[in-house]
Amino acid sequence: MRSVVIESPDRLVIEQRPLPEPAEGEVRVKVSLAGICGSDVHIWHGHNPFAKYPRVIGHEFFGTIDATGPGVDPARLGERVSVDPVVSCGHCYPCSVGRPNVCTSLQVIGVHCDGGFSDYACVPATNAWHIPDTISDRHATMVEPFTIAANITAQLKPMPEDIALIYGAGPMGLTVIQALKGVYGVKQVIVADRIAERLVMATNNGADKVVDNSHQSLEDILKKAGIRPTLIVDAACHPSILQQAIDLASPAARIGIMGFSGEPCTITQQSITSKEISLFSSRLNSNRFPDVISWMSQGKVDPEKLITHCLPLEDVQAALTLFATDQRTCCKVLLQMNN
């Protein structure tokens, strides 16, 4: 079988590997489609501190179960599944309180262990989620990206009367827009980005107001409009954003942080406690696959609005480069594996 292997930073090869056999409690998935994420690019270029090499990348993937290991019901053969990349121990403190995404021995498929940019992948059976026939293959591949939005919104608990501000109209920001509007019915969603084409994508995904803050002061625009956001999500992931978000927020607002930057960030306690602002952070997803599958089944979100490109596996290097460099026309890129 073919596998996309990052042998070392900046060295990507498509390698022929033996067909894997599922171990106890595992299923083998014949991968149909896989999505590209920024973390895949980071592993390729050596910028992910958690990855060890060589590594088969890919943590957003969909396919069909074609083999089961010992202890797995063989009736699952032929089942269409999307794979949750979060592999947890199930008994540490985070796991015991429903937070397996920050398990003390967390393993992320495609980061800590081999992932889905391969013709076949063996994964824990409990991580392979059944996809109903009402959800297309393309949309099933997008379940994992939408779980990122499901995870942060589950913490922020959006309400229809919220005024939401989202920094960043990349894939993460766009999934959050769709969740806020389609799932939670938030009355006003404002999106700030510095790329005009991204703001068009934000509007197409449901944003009520967009702001190009490349040459305009977001603070001045919101102040002039009399807007004080009650819910803010940082999906742009720059260290300078958090203090501005705190300053712009309404008293009693909730702020969600989705970034993973290691750069220092300076904030003042007074600006937080004087308005009793609640800060939330979000990593991966904590058992949110059933939520997103339900959202898609009910038509509350539309993954098609994010998918801009689909390339064959053999063009993976071009696909990764496209995703990393073309922020104007490219949003989500899917890799086509087996037909």
Side-chain angles (χ1 to χ4, degrees):
M1 70 172 187
R2 303 167 301 166
S3 296
V4 176
V5 182
I6 309 299
E7 293 186 325
S8 59
D10 295 319
R11 179 166 175 76
L12 180 153
V13 297
I14 299 177
E15 187 176 283
Q16 286 291 330
R17 290 190 165 189
L19 192 67
E21 292 298 326
E24 184 171 357
E26 289 187 339
V27 295
R28 186 174 66 203
V29 177
K30 182 179 181 181
V31 182
S32 299
L33 290 162
I36 290 176
C37 173
S39 63
D40 299 313
V41 178
H42 295 157
I43 295 171
W44 177 26
H45 293 310
H47 300 151
N48 187 310
F50 304 109
K52 290 182 172 58
Y53 302 92
R55 176 62 63 233
V56 177
I57 55 174
H59 64 272
E60 306 172 3
F61 59 104
F62 159 83
T64 304
I65 294 175
D66 86 319
T68 57
V72 180
D73 186 351
R76 295 199 68 182
L77 288 169
E79 186 178 331
R80 299 170 68 242
V81 294
S82 287
V83 176
D84 184 347
V86 176
V87 181
S88 56
C89 73
H91 54 74
C92 67
Y93 171 70
C95 287
S96 73
V97 294
R99 307 276 286 279
N101 51 322
V102 286
C103 170
T104 55
S105 55
L106 176 68
Q107 295 282 294
V108 180
I109 295 170
V111 180
H112 302 89
C113 53
D114 285 344
F117 285 8
S118 191
D119 287 323
Y120 294 85
C122 289
V123 303
T126 52
N127 287 62
W129 287 93
H130 172 74
I131 297 297
D133 292 340
T134 52
I135 298 176
S136 71
D137 293 0
R138 281 164 62 94
H139 293 183
T141 312
M142 295 290 294
V143 171
E144 195 280 340
F146 273 90
T147 65
I148 306 304
N151 207 66
I152 188 64
T153 54
Q155 296 188 67
L156 293 170
K157 294 180 171 52
M159 300 176 289
E161 59 268 27
D162 273 317
I163 299 173
L165 169 64
I166 299 173
Y167 285 90
M172 284 198 306
L174 298 180
T175 60
V176 173
I177 295 169
Q178 287 206 27
L180 291 178
K181 296 301 291 187
V183 178
Y184 293 96
V186 173
K187 69 174 182 181
Q188 188 172 13
V189 174
I190 304 158
V191 180
D193 201 292
R194 300 190 171 195
I195 299 173
E197 290 85 350
R198 288 285 196 189
L199 293 174
V200 172
M201 293 183 194
T203 300
N204 292 340
N205 279 270
D208 300 293
K209 179 181 177 64
V210 296
V211 177
D212 184 339
N213 61 336
S214 57
H215 302 294
Q216 305 176 77
S217 164
L218 179 60
E219 184 176 13
D220 289 347
I221 291 169
L222 295 185
K223 186 176 181 180
K224 186 176 180 180
I227 294 172
R228 301 194 77 179
T230 59
L231 185 155
I232 301 177
V233 176
D234 175 14
C237 312
H238 191 279
S240 65
I241 289 174
L242 182 55
Q243 183 61 58
Q244 185 187 65
I246 292 166
D247 293 339
L248 294 177
S250 162
R254 296 95 74 209
I255 297 176
I257 309 166
M258 303 178 77
F260 226 92
S261 172
E263 296 179 37
C265 174
T266 302
I267 59 175
T268 62
Q269 289 183 351
Q270 184 182 45
S271 60
I272 300 170
T273 54
S274 63
K275 294 192 281 189
E276 202 173 63
I277 288 171
S278 299
L279 298 179
F280 297 88
S281 62
S282 183
R283 182 182 183 187
L284 300 163
N285 86 94
S286 54
N287 294 321
R288 303 295 173 191
F289 267 63
D291 296 337
V292 172
I293 292 167
S294 175
W295 293 358
M296 289 187 183
S297 295
Q298 296 177 61
K300 292 183 175 181
V301 296
D302 183 3
E304 196 63 37
K305 291 182 177 180
L306 277 75
I307 301 169
T308 53
H309 299 80
C310 187
L311 284 76
L313 175 65
E314 52 266 29
D315 292 341
V316 61
Q317 189 157 327
L320 286 162
T321 301
L322 173 70
F323 179 87
T325 60
D326 184 2
Q327 293 184 310
R328 298 189 181 279
T329 66
C330 177
C331 184
K332 287 302 292 186
V333 182
L334 303 186
L335 290 177
Q336 179 76 53
M337 311 291 188
N338 299 284
N339 294 321

